[in-house]
Amino acid sequence: MELVLAAAIGILAASGVWLLLRPRTFQVIIGLTLISYAVNLFIFSIGGLRTGADPVLHAAAGDIAQYADPLPQALVLTAIVIGFATTALFLVVLLTSRGLTGNDHVDGEDGTP
Amino acid sequence: MSNHLVIAPIVLPLLVAALQLLVGEKRRRTVLALSVASCVALVLLAAALMLAVSADGVLGAVYRIGDWPARFGIVLVADRLSALMVLLTSVLALALLPYALGRWQHRGGHFQPLLQFLLMGLNGAFLTGDLFNLFVFFEVLLAASYGLALHGSGARRVSAGLHYIAVNLTASMLFLLGVSLIFGVTGTLNMAALAELIPTVPERTRALLHAGAALLGVAFLIKTAMWPLGFWLPRTYAAASPVVAAMFALMTKVGIYVLLRLGLLLFGDAAGPASAHFGSGWMLWGGVATVVAGIVGMLGARDLAKLAGYNVLISSGTLLGAIGLQLPAVTAGALAYLVISTLAIAAFFLVVGLLASDGDDETDDSLSLEPYEQPGETAANEGLYAQEDESRVVISAPIAMLSGSFFACALLLAGLPPLSGFLAKFAMLAPMLEAGPRAGATVLFTLIIVAGFCTVIAMCRAGIQIFWVEPERLFLKVRLSETTSILLLLGLCLLLTVLVEGPLRYLRDTARQIHTPAVYIQQVLPAAEVQP
């Protein structure tokens, strides 16, 4: 499972960086989204990977090692919400830029004729 | 002292901003009155906070949200450094309000609520004692700053804003990566608990911890605009409207604040041989590179707003280098320089805004330093704004006032006597010499002197071009409110020149306090609650 998750994070981040460096605004925002997925998965995995473990204590608490670390899950929720909001805001700016300049180049002007 | 004083500077602007949104854009006077009330109250709160934490024997105030013990809950911590930064923020915001009264706040929606949200984020970032909470407050202040950077719209502003937002979103991702790595290694995000744990981190995972800290550092260095991470800054600041740019002069200092705080708290002398002073060399040499980049940019600037932007770079670089040295005496001087340079750069952005506004083309109100061509027919345009302004128009000797302010800004930024810019630089440079010969200190010392000299050259050139070569370029209507802001900021610098003794003593205490992190840890995690 570790290998699959690590590969997923790596591929997401790599594709995100590649897209982020592209000249079209749409590619940039997709790149940012992919990077934020990678980061969110990374935060999620930082508490250790475990299947079927509860993050919340039961009445019969038992061994604490049976449980998954709840804090990364709380952190990732916050990160998702904030990332979502800022991406939405960025999207609005992209549309405004498209409207004002008439093209979707990040510099507002198209180098190619 | 009332404990709730610590959280008040965060809650107040939040409530006021919400209220302003409810009141709506149409009732300008109510919104404005709310803003003024909020800023005045913030200044008073910050002053009270400063008095409370600087009393003898008191080292700081800790506010446990929900009264959870610091290891489990989130804490807000006010010590001398936080109180200083909160006071600087509130004073700057209050001084900028009159300027925003004029034409600027009507060029787009919701200027005042955004400003209040920005203040909330800034105050929160200065007061928090938790890394993840720091991220949240950073996002709050960044979200507000995106709105403010785009305030007034126009193709140039949107294009610059686009880059600004993309860069900052990427920086936020790095911030999150760094935070999660640090959490993975240590299992806590409380700054004091981290500082306590770092010496005991096993060798096996120490590299991971350093990687996390480095990622976090890169995120802050992007905000501080260290070379080569700072190419976004001059363009964004030049494109933003003057009030916003003046407020942004403080935003780079947030990065400096965090680097100073975390650098000394987490990686001070107590962090053990493997981690002590981690990253300080990067800060020092990064700062040196930033100053060089700033000098080159400033000498080559063909646009007054860009000139101001490069001054921000020089200020950032100087501060980075100075805190990278990690000497208490230098830190005290650096804090003085931080305060003075923030106020001076803010005033300079305002002056630039007034000088450039005669073109009054909404999309391009920067002032070119190129040979001036034909003055446009913009008088009609001007009249339009004059009509809807509440403040009265002052025509008497605006040139004298503007050139005087320009001159004062130049003196402050270059650090020449007799104004406080000189005192601040002196307070920073003198201890560098006393500390004995170190390569970094020598290079930085020389470079700061050179930077001051080059500032003089660049400002002289710009001043001659604007005020002497083309006297026919008249500065039309300088409003009373706009003058008030500039004079307030410069007056503060002047006041600090005269009353330099008290503030400097405070800053020395501040530097001593942040260089002994044990006190901070003791404060946040009292011995009684060490282990449940």
Side-chain angles (χ1 to χ4, degrees), chain B residues 5-354:
Chain B
L5 191 58
V6 180
I7 200 170
I10 303 172
V11 175
L12 180 74
L14 175 65
L15 290 180
V16 169
L19 207 58
Q20 281 173 331
L21 287 177
L22 285 178
V23 167
E25 278 280 276
K26 293 219 171 117
R27 286 179 227 159
R28 273 183 201 161
R29 283 177 187 282
T30 321
V31 168
L32 195 64
L34 277 171
S35 268
V36 174
S38 160
C39 286
V40 171
L42 275 178
V43 171
L44 294 178
L45 279 173
L49 196 61
M50 196 175 215
L51 283 179
V53 297
S54 61
D56 280 336
V58 184
L59 294 158
V62 180
Y63 185 85
R64 294 183 176 78
I65 297 175
D67 210 18
W68 286 90
R71 266 172 219 284
F72 304 110
I74 289 170
V75 288
L76 300 177
V77 186
D79 61 357
R80 286 188 166 92
L81 181 59
S82 314
L84 171 76
M85 298 304 288
V86 171
L87 185 65
L88 180 63
T89 313
S90 331
V91 167
L92 187 61
L94 182 63
L96 290 179
L97 267 188
Y99 196 96
L101 278 185
R103 53 205 114 159
W104 294 107
Q105 67 169 350
H106 305 317
R107 284 209 178 165
H110 298 301
F111 179 83
Q112 302 288 353
L114 281 172
L115 187 64
Q116 295 295 320
F117 279 126
L118 182 68
L119 289 179
M120 176 209 166
L122 284 168
N123 287 344
F126 292 139
L127 287 170
T128 183
D130 182 276
L131 275 186
F132 200 77
N133 218 12
L134 181 67
F135 168 73
V136 174
F137 280 123
F138 250 93
E139 288 305 310
V140 170
L141 81 89
L142 284 175
S145 82
Y146 301 153
L148 287 173
L150 296 169
H151 181 76
S153 203
R156 206 166 67 98
R157 223 159 261 165
V158 170
S159 160
L162 190 81
H163 296 185
Y164 174 67
I165 298 178
V167 167
N168 274 298
L169 285 181
T170 317
S172 298
M173 295 302 151
L174 291 175
F175 194 151
L176 276 177
L177 279 179
V179 164
S180 50
L181 268 176
I182 291 179
F183 179 79
V185 174
T186 60
T188 180
L189 286 175
N190 182 293
M191 293 180 195
L194 270 178
E196 213 178 40
L197 282 175
I198 280 179
T200 62
V201 168
E203 279 316 304
R204 202 161 46 87
T205 50
R206 191 170 286 273
L208 267 183
L209 175 80
H210 284 182
L215 279 173
L216 207 58
V218 170
F220 298 128
L221 289 173
I222 290 178
K223 319 254 175 205
T224 322
M226 183 185 94
W227 188 86
L229 305 171
F231 290 113
W232 56 271
L233 188 139
R235 193 153 172 269
T236 312
Y237 281 35
S241 54
V243 198
V244 176
M247 200 65 215
F248 280 13
L250 189 68
M251 300 252 301
T252 51
K253 308 301 188 284
V254 185
I256 298 276
Y257 162 82
V258 179
L259 288 168
L260 182 61
R261 160 83 69 208
L262 291 184
L264 289 174
L265 187 61
L266 304 187
F267 299 106
D269 291 323
S275 289
H277 306 296
F278 173 73
S280 63
W282 281 96
M283 279 197 265
L284 174 59
W285 294 109
V288 166
T290 314
V291 176
V292 172
I295 292 174
V296 172
M298 190 171 62
L299 289 178
R302 300 184 154 266
D303 170 320
L304 201 52
K306 287 252 172 69
L307 179 67
Y310 284 112
N311 264 311
V312 178
L313 274 192
I314 292 183
S315 154
S316 280
T318 309
L319 282 167
L320 266 180
I323 63 175
L325 285 176
Q326 299 205 328
L327 300 167
V330 178
T331 308
L335 287 174
Y337 178 76
L338 186 152
V339 173
I340 299 295
S341 73
T342 307
L343 294 176
I345 290 175
F348 189 49
F349 269 117
L350 297 186
V351 173
V352 170
L354 285 186

